[in-house]
Amino acid sequence: AQTVTQSQPEMSVQEAETVTLSCTYDTSESDYYLFWYKQPPSRQMILVIRQEAYKQQNATENRFSVNFQKAAKSFSLKISDSQLGDAAMYFCAYRTRAGAGNQFYFGTGTSLTVIP
Amino acid sequence: DAGITQSPRHKVTETGTPVTLRCHQTENHRYMYWYRQDPGHGLRLIHYSYGVKDTDKGEVSDGYSVSRSKTEDFLLTLESATSSQTSVYFCAIGGGPYNEQFFGPGTRLTVL
């Protein structure tokens, strides 16, 4: 099974600053999807950004962008101009492109605190 | 937002009692999933379904069973609840151009 590792259990950032959350994964596949989900205190899981492995260009969604390093199996999330509403648990997830059941593998999460 | 509801949203039960959690979707998605979320473990897949009456086990399926008699409903049953099954349970459906998963609001289950 694929494994996803988030080595930073907790991170903090000053409001309006930039923060980067790390994610690495282990796979022998060449084609797959990667995702970042946000879980605020409401507990709802919200999709933040997604990346296809075969695309070289890093995905961007407004203030959120990724640094996808396929050879290094790294998929970090950069949050620019951090806002108080960005405070949440962030989960990195991997999904095989070819596997049965669209099975996702999640990291253990990084808790982000935004300091006013 | 994807139309996914879970019921109940909170439940407290006693060890040894049966518990059924319901996930209902209005998106007509083929794939549905049950996860549990525990501190230090992220989300772990319990069971999933790839169609009516078609289900398969996930990473942590022991002590759980599922059923899917209609496209829109996916039930998770704890036949005899144990304290180790105290957790937050999430239902998800698959879909979208990247086949990302959309999640329900979660059910907090406490087994005393």
Side-chain angles (χ1 to χ4, degrees):
Chain A
Q2 282 73 14
T3 57
V4 178
T5 301
Q6 294 179 249
S7 59
Q8 306 153 315
E10 298 178 346
M11 293 280 287
S12 62
V13 62
Q14 292 286 145
E15 194 175 3
E17 297 295 311
T18 296
V19 65
T20 298
L21 308 184
S22 300
C23 173
T24 59
Y25 55 95
D26 183 27
T27 185
S28 58
E29 298 173 336
S30 60
D31 201 8
Y32 45 86
Y33 302 103
L34 296 163
F35 305 86
W36 278 98
Y37 282 87
K38 169 186 178 181
Q39 186 180 42
S42 67
R43 209 168 63 200
Q44 181 69 51
M45 293 285 285
I46 302 165
L47 178 66
V48 174
I49 199 165
R50 56 201 168 207
Q51 174 85 38
E52 287 193 74
Y54 74 87
K55 289 188 176 180
Q56 300 277 0
Q57 188 173 5
N58 289 324
T60 299
E61 290 286 344
N62 299 315
R63 298 182 295 106
F64 298 87
S65 61
V66 298
N67 183 6
F68 174 48
Q69 301 288 330
K70 190 173 184 179
K73 297 179 184 176
S74 171
F75 183 61
S76 60
L77 175 69
K78 185 172 82 171
I79 306 174
S80 304
D81 185 26
S82 297
Q83 302 175 359
L84 295 178
D86 295 333
M89 183 74 83
Y90 287 81
F91 292 96
C92 178
Y94 171 104
R95 192 222 136 200
T96 181
R97 190 182 182 96
N102 283 12
Q103 184 165 342
F104 274 51
Y105 299 90
F106 286 86
T108 53
T110 296
S111 178
L112 179 66
T113 300
V114 180
I115 303 166
Chain B
D1 290 344
I4 311 168
T5 57
Q6 293 183 231
S7 58
R9 295 292 312 279
H10 300 87
K11 185 170 182 66
V12 179
T13 191
E14 294 189 350
T15 297
T17 60
V19 176
T20 296
L21 308 183
R22 179 181 183 242
C23 177
H24 180 79
Q25 59 138 335
T26 59
E27 307 297 317
N28 200 35
H29 279 301
R30 178 182 175 192
Y31 288 96
M32 298 184 74
Y33 307 81
W34 277 108
Y35 291 90
R36 60 177 290 173
Q37 184 181 22
D38 304 290
H41 290 278
L43 281 81
R44 292 180 292 175
L45 183 65
I46 304 171
H47 282 279
Y48 67 95
S49 170
Y50 45 97
V52 173
K53 298 192 188 316
D54 292 324
T55 65
D56 205 350
K57 296 179 180 180
E59 177 187 1
V60 290
S61 59
D62 287 348
Y64 303 93
S65 62
V66 291
S67 65
R68 190 166 180 204
S69 58
K70 298 185 291 185
T71 298
E72 57 265 35
D73 290 325
F74 193 31
L75 304 181
L76 177 70
T77 297
L78 292 65
E79 299 290 346
S80 178
T82 67
S83 59
S84 65
Q85 293 175 311
T86 293
S87 187
V88 178
Y89 291 86
F90 284 96
C91 174
I93 63 176
Y98 292 86
N99 281 307
E100 65 266 27
Q101 293 192 352
F102 300 101
F103 287 82
T107 294
R108 180 175 293 279
L109 175 67
T110 302
V111 183
L112 301 175

